[in-house]
Amino acid sequence: MNSVALEVRDLVKTFSLDGTTINAVDGVSFQVKSGEFVALVGPSGSGKTTMLSIMAALLTPTSGQVLIDGQDLAKMNEKQRVRLRREKIGFTFQSNNLIPFLTARENVEFMLRLNGKLDRAGRVRSDELLARLGLMERLHSLPAQMSGGQQQRVAIARALIHNPAVVLADEPTASLDTERAFQVVETFAHLIHENDRAGIIVTHDLRMCQYVDRVLQMQDGKLVRVVEDKKEIMELAHGTLTH
Amino acid sequence: MKNFFLATYLAIKEVLRNRGRFLLVALVIALITVLVLFIAALGEGLSNANRQYVANLDAQLIVFLEKSDYSISASRLETNTAKSVRRVEGVADAGAIYTSNTQIVSLPEPLKISMLGAEAARPGMPPLLEGRYFRGGEAREAVMDMSVAQRTDLKIGDEIEIRSTQGTKDQFYTLKIVGLVGKQAYSFQPTIFVPASTWELMRPQSESDLNSDTPYPNIIAVKLQDPSQVAMMKLRLQDQVPNIEVADIETTINNIPGYTAQQGTVQTQGVFTLLIGILVIGGFFQIQILQKVPQIGVLKAIGASNGVVGLSAVIQIIIVTAIGVGIGAGLNYLFSLGLPPTIPLEFNGQRSLIAIALLLFIGPFGGMVSIIYAIRIEPLKALRLG
Ligand SMILES: Nc1ncnc2c1ncn2[C@@H]1O[C@H](COP(=O)(O)OP(=O)(O)O)[C@@H](O)[C@H]1O
Ligand SMILES: [Mg+2]
């Protein structure tokens, strides 16, 4: 049985804005195991990005716990959190993902460089991963010379290359057309499963859920529904799920 | 160390992939460098033209007439003062110096010069580069300095004609050039040296001056046996020789008419140009950092430390500044090759080196705000700017 890579316990995050308090995340708990691909869905403002920021150690929760590979984020200092981000977490962002002055290959290799692990084997692996994502011809292209979908795929390679425990993707399909969006998420799912990582994809597009193992649905900061049954997930993705 | 390599990698990649943009800033820095170096060279050149002779004197103290306020032209000493000075214990040697302005007219273009009377092989007479010193007495012989040689094609053995206004008449005298000394500009003019009696004969003088025929030296250059005893010897000389006041070389230079004011003006110009440089560089890097907020957010989010991000910004600024200063210094060198000797610009001075050091410093200094800004960008920006 696969181990728990990420665990969230009773997570709460409140923001104070002009005297009113907003419960952006309101008592959320769940676990994600290695080799599991999970979607965090919900309407705009439901707290998805806030959740992701907390899981990525970019934002401190008001209360509750986040454990990555069994390590409690709250017990770390800032230096340790920076280290955790580069060693244990892989990231893709909605846009502006890549370092604009590095080529596709250099962007992926940079993740290894950051970890002081760029050796021959690493370079080979990085090229293989890019090839796997259909970017063999784009190794030497700068981000500005690539399409949105290509950039997202480079970002996915960067998020996986250093074998992180957890891969976090914020709206990876937001700037892509439907066909490309499906392709990107499908490849993403394959790589998560193959490499035995814990993957969490944030999206407001329910159709993307057909490739995941579990759907966590949020509303007003709360986890309102968890869909685990493959049939129900497919119905959710096709908009035919009732109840 | 790992951080340093990472930061250098990022800095160099970014500069190389945005060559055009960074070259543009480097060129602006190059132009500022040219300007600053020109001002430094002008300062050096003007200061030399005014003080060179005094600064080069093989002496530690200068004797003036009492109450002359260390003004060389206002000071007129008794002829035998030099002898009295030489008798004071601790004085190695002393030489009387006589100053005046005349013109060499035996040239296609008359040349204004300082005609200095001095005693051969005594303080006040610079060391020879070529030829020999003039003989004593009223010998019609002169030693020219290198700036006379550079501005004319006069050589040792040539004869020159001097015009001197005496009373109401113009008098003309012929001198033979017998020796050459290094650059000895005095009072912004190239210099010839003549014996004291010849100087007395030829110097421009008013009607009343014409009636006396003893030369009055303006100042006496004093070489000490122990150059470290300047303060003590100054007091001893003032104590033992009547009607004099004594100054060290620095005081003498600072009291040359216009010297202090002129150097102040030139320095102010230099400082303002450097300030403009700081603002230009600061402005550029600040705008650039504002455009780079998402990129820096991503870097930090994926685990680059503040140290790497800040160091990379510093290295980048240093690279760009160094390239700019390098180009500027190169341009300056090319300019300096084509300059005629009449223009008082000197690029080899200490000032040029100080200017280059300051220029290299203004980059990081101007970019400081942007570096601090870069360090303070939150990694959350990677997610929130989306
Ligand atoms: N820094 C913040 N300050 C105040 N309110 C915030 C902040 N970040 C998010 N919020 C609020 O928290 C709620 C959840 O936001 P977010 O996590 O971005 O949702 P989603 O990503 O699902 O659209 C929203 O109401 C949003 O306005
Ligand atoms: Mg969001």
Side-chain angles (χ1 to χ4, degrees), chain A:
Chain A
M1 193 58 227
N2 277 335
S3 58
V4 175
L6 172 85
E7 181 168 5
V8 172
R9 287 185 200 149
D10 299 322
L11 212 57
V12 174
K13 180 71 190 180
T14 53
F15 292 107
S16 309
L17 206 66
D18 307 326
T20 59
T21 43
I22 301 162
N23 295 324
V25 174
D26 196 357
V28 174
S29 302
F30 62 83
Q31 295 184 343
V32 184
K33 296 194 178 83
S34 302
E36 205 182 4
F37 194 32
V38 172
L40 196 58
V41 301
S44 183
S46 57
K48 306 183 297 291
T49 301
T50 306
M51 275 298 305
L52 203 72
S53 310
I54 295 169
M55 292 187 284
L58 294 172
L59 197 64
T60 324
T62 310
S63 66
Q65 271 183 308
V66 179
L67 295 108
I68 289 180
D69 249 5
Q71 289 174 276
D72 189 346
L73 296 194
K75 297 206 174 105
M76 298 182 176
N77 61 26
E78 186 49 37
K79 209 174 159 182
Q80 291 167 320
R81 277 193 276 262
V82 171
R83 190 184 171 132
L84 174 107
R85 283 206 294 273
R86 71 170 169 258
E87 288 180 352
K88 300 268 163 120
I89 296 176
F91 257 127
T92 80
F93 309 103
Q94 199 168 324
S95 57
N96 295 314
N97 249 304
L98 306 175
I99 309 303
F101 52 83
L102 297 182
T103 62
R105 175 194 260 166
E106 288 166 347
N107 261 287
V108 177
E109 287 178 351
F110 184 71
M111 209 56 229
L112 295 173
R113 226 178 250 282
L114 260 182
N115 282 302
K117 287 191 179 141
L118 182 58
D119 51 14
R120 258 186 75 89
R123 286 174 205 276
V124 171
R125 229 159 15 91
S126 149
D127 281 4
E128 277 171 6
L129 194 51
L130 282 164
R132 182 75 211 297
L133 286 154
L135 292 164
M136 205 52 214
E137 255 91 80
R138 313 254 52 170
L139 292 182
H140 304 290
S141 302
L142 291 169
Q145 298 161 339
M146 290 184 274
S147 68
Q150 286 169 334
Q151 290 185 39
Q152 274 301 341
R153 282 183 275 157
V154 176
I156 288 167
R158 184 184 66 190
L160 288 161
I161 188 69
H162 55 306
N163 290 328
V166 178
V167 180
L168 304 172
D170 191 20
E171 306 268 10
T173 59
S175 55
L176 308 183
D177 61 54
T178 311
E179 199 184 329
R180 265 182 226 290
F182 282 127
Q183 274 173 18
V184 164
V185 179
E186 186 176 14
T187 321
F188 205 164
H190 278 307
L191 288 168
I192 291 289
H193 292 139
E194 273 170 31
N195 292 289
D196 221 13
R197 307 289 133 216
I200 298 178
I201 176 174
V202 163
T203 182
H204 62 268
D205 187 349
L206 290 178
R207 295 173 304 169
M208 298 305 149
C209 294
Q210 57 181 293
Y211 303 106
V212 307
D213 308 311
R214 186 154 45 116
V215 179
L216 306 171
Q217 195 162 18
M218 287 187 73
Q219 178 98 47
D220 298 329
K222 292 193 172 66
L223 201 55
V224 290
R225 180 161 60 171
V226 179
V227 186
E228 276 178 294
D229 181 70
K230 193 69 204 170
K231 195 171 136 259
E232 283 188 29
I233 291 174
M234 290 316 272
E235 284 173 14
L236 185 74
H238 295 116
T240 53
L241 184 69
T242 48
H243 75 257

Side-chain angles (χ1 to χ4, degrees), chain B residues 64-66 77 81 84 237-245:
Chain B
F64 292 84
L65 177 66
E66 204 175 17
L77 292 161
T81 313
S84 316
L237 281 165
Q238 285 176 164
D239 194 43
Q240 295 188 10
V241 182
N243 303 327
I244 61 164
E245 60 188 16

Side-chain angles (χ1 to χ4, degrees), chain B residues 194-364:
Chain B
V194 294
S197 309
T198 311
W199 176 86
E200 170 61 18
L201 183 75
M202 294 186 189
R203 73 187 166 109
Q205 42 197 327
S206 63
E207 202 76 50
S208 56
D209 280 345
L210 284 170
N211 300 324
S212 98
D213 56 351
T214 33
Y216 289 111
N218 293 93
I219 52 171
I220 293 164
V222 184
K223 184 178 176 182
L224 301 178
Q225 279 163 1
D226 180 358
S228 64
Q229 293 299 318
V230 169
M232 187 271 281
M233 285 304 292
K234 173 181 146 102
L235 295 177
R236 185 183 287 177
L237 281 165
Q238 285 176 164
D239 194 43
Q240 295 188 10
V241 182
N243 303 327
I244 61 164
E245 60 188 16
V246 180
D248 58 22
I249 299 291
E250 199 186 327
T251 310
T252 307
I253 288 172
N254 287 331
N255 281 284
I256 293 175
Y259 180 81
T260 309
Q262 190 180 57
Q263 290 303 307
T265 311
V266 170
Q267 266 166 25
T268 309
Q269 286 174 354
V271 167
F272 270 96
T273 316
L274 282 174
L275 283 180
I276 293 171
I278 289 174
L279 288 179
V280 168
I281 295 171
F284 170 81
F285 282 104
Q286 185 60 31
I287 290 170
Q288 168 162 284
I289 222 80
L290 290 177
Q291 291 173 335
K292 276 166 44 173
V293 169
Q295 164 192 326
I296 291 171
V298 168
L299 268 176
K300 290 188 179 181
I302 64 175
S305 63
N306 280 335
V308 168
V309 171
L311 196 58
S312 152
V314 173
I315 292 171
Q316 195 172 78
I317 292 173
I318 290 175
I319 290 174
V320 174
T321 314
I323 291 174
V325 172
I327 296 174
L331 284 177
N332 239 283
Y333 177 70
L334 293 181
F335 278 132
S336 72
L337 292 183
L339 278 180
T342 42
I343 296 178
L345 288 175
E346 300 226 2
F347 289 101
N348 45 5
Q350 202 188 354
R351 285 166 207 246
S352 302
L353 289 179
I354 293 174
I356 286 180
L358 283 174
L359 282 161
L360 287 174
F361 176 73
I362 63 168

